[in-house]
Amino acid sequence: MHDNDLEPPRSVLRRFLEGEASGGLVLMAAAAFALVVANSPLSEAYFHALHVDLGPLSLAHWINDGLMVVFFLLVGLEIKREMLDGQLSTWPRRVLPGMAALGGMIVPALIFVWFNRDNPKVLPGWAIPTATDIAFALGVLSLLGSRVPASLKVFLAALAIIDDLGAVIIIAVFYTDGLALPYLAGAAVILALLILLNRRGVMNLTPYLVLGVGLWFCVLNSGVHATIAGVLLALTIPLRRAPGIRDDVRVSPLHRLEHGLSRIVPFVIVPLFGFANAGVSFFGLSGKAMTDPLTLGVAVGLVVGKLVGVFGTVALTVRSGLAELPAHAGWRQVFGVALLCGIGFTMSLFIGLLAFENDPALQSEVKLGILVGSFTAGVLGTLVLLTCGRSRPLTPAGGRPQP
């Protein structure tokens, strides 16, 4: 009898929480609920509640500048783990998703700029359609089951992680206000202490997290967006085992922290962010909003820009011999995944809020473009992948299926 035979059956809730698609489904539900509430008799209460002050910040700011730091902390942990000990740990593994991510950022940005070339006021939003929502996209892929080979899911995850890294750099460089040097100096000192803890081999997470709170406070007041503190903290968390222990990765501080955040981020923080920011009241939008260059720049950038940027770059990279297609994947499947990269929900919303922080009207158009573009990309990508046959491992003559 195997040990697994002795395990009690998992509950429906536990199976849902452990499913790859679950975080994306919860986020979809939160966004849909926000749209319903924003266009219901509860609309006024919904928007008023977001601007209620809770101490030094409003509720919306606590979510966007506070809780989302934890989201960026998890993003940073995933980037570091994949770069040092995962699918992006070697240059050959980085080439295809790296090139695809780069094309998937450049082309959407160019499309946005082309649509809005005559309106300098909205050009700061050029980065909005450059992002891919990893929870949404992987959620859709997981729902499609064996129609998508596992290698293509790994490719999409790697692409989205590199995409997130690009988004973090864009936020730090292009969406930073006037700098407050004393707070910036304080952040630098705390970051140096975190690096020192890492160099000294401190494996206890507590001092890292305590200093991380101080780092967040300094970055929040420095002019650099507060969420960058989460990424900086993640990069200092050790990814190694305790002395004398070889095989148990659970003692690695990075793995422990990543595991601890793997439920609260997708099932609490990101849905809260989606609910707080996806609400668009259609009562205040004119019919022209759908055809406004800002809305079109975001929507077309996500659907067409991501498709052309990702698929085109993959085709060029493979045809030039720099990389190979993911194992067992065909061009139609890559085409479908490139469409799914146009689901830009979470990070696109976040960048949109930064780009037009003091202009609610422009924010509403951005949200409309993101919702339309992400929905269109998701539906088209799903339809394309549904036309693909179920993936089967290749079998050599007279042999077993290859793993």
Side-chain angles (χ1 to χ4, degrees), residues 119-343:
N119 189 356
K121 181 181 179 182
V122 302
L123 285 179
W126 63 269
I128 296 169
T130 64
T132 294
D133 191 299
I134 188 170
F136 259 126
L138 286 177
V140 173
L141 275 191
S142 298
L143 292 174
L144 291 168
S146 61
R147 285 184 173 83
V148 181
S151 62
L152 209 50
K153 296 177 183 178
V154 172
F155 165 75
L156 178 60
L159 186 158
I161 287 170
I162 297 174
D163 193 287
D164 283 345
L165 177 60
V168 169
I169 294 172
I170 287 171
I171 290 170
V173 174
F174 295 100
Y175 296 102
T176 294
D177 297 325
L179 297 176
L181 294 182
Y183 284 106
L184 201 60
V189 170
I190 295 174
L191 182 60
L193 291 174
L194 286 165
I195 294 172
L196 181 63
L197 288 177
N198 183 297
R199 295 294 186 187
R200 291 292 181 88
V202 176
M203 305 294 279
N204 187 343
L205 278 171
T206 301
Y208 292 97
L209 298 181
V210 171
L211 286 173
V213 174
L215 180 65
W216 167 78
F217 177 79
C218 289
V219 174
L220 175 67
N221 292 283
S222 70
V224 178
H225 198 270
T227 51
I228 300 301
V231 178
L232 294 175
L233 173 60
L235 297 180
T236 66
I237 304 296
L239 175 63
R240 57 178 178 267
R241 299 168 178 81
I245 299 179
R246 291 185 177 181
D247 300 322
D248 192 356
V249 298
R250 290 175 296 177
V251 303
S252 169
L254 186 144
H255 285 89
R256 294 205 315 272
L257 183 55
E258 188 176 12
H259 178 75
L261 297 177
S262 64
R263 293 291 176 266
I264 189 172
V265 169
F267 295 109
V268 178
I269 292 176
V270 172
L272 270 176
F273 173 81
F275 178 73
N277 293 287
V280 180
S281 176
F282 298 118
F283 299 121
L285 291 176
S286 65
K288 294 175 60 179
M290 279 297 298
T291 58
D292 187 87
L294 175 56
T295 307
L296 288 175
V298 173
V300 177
L302 286 172
V303 180
V304 179
K306 280 290 185 181
L307 172 62
V308 174
V310 172
F311 186 77
T313 307
V314 168
L316 288 173
T317 304
V318 171
R319 297 298 187 192
S320 65
L322 294 174
E324 296 180 351
L325 279 180
H328 316 318
W331 285 108
R332 184 184 295 180
Q333 291 167 318
V334 174
F335 189 88
V337 167
L339 278 167
L340 293 184
C341 289
I343 304 175

Side-chain angles (χ1 to χ4, degrees), residues 95-119:
V95 171
L96 190 63
M99 295 297 290
L102 183 62
M105 289 187 281
I106 293 174
V107 178
L110 291 175
I111 288 177
F112 180 93
V113 170
W114 186 84
F115 270 99
N116 296 279
R117 61 194 182 279
D118 296 325
N119 189 356

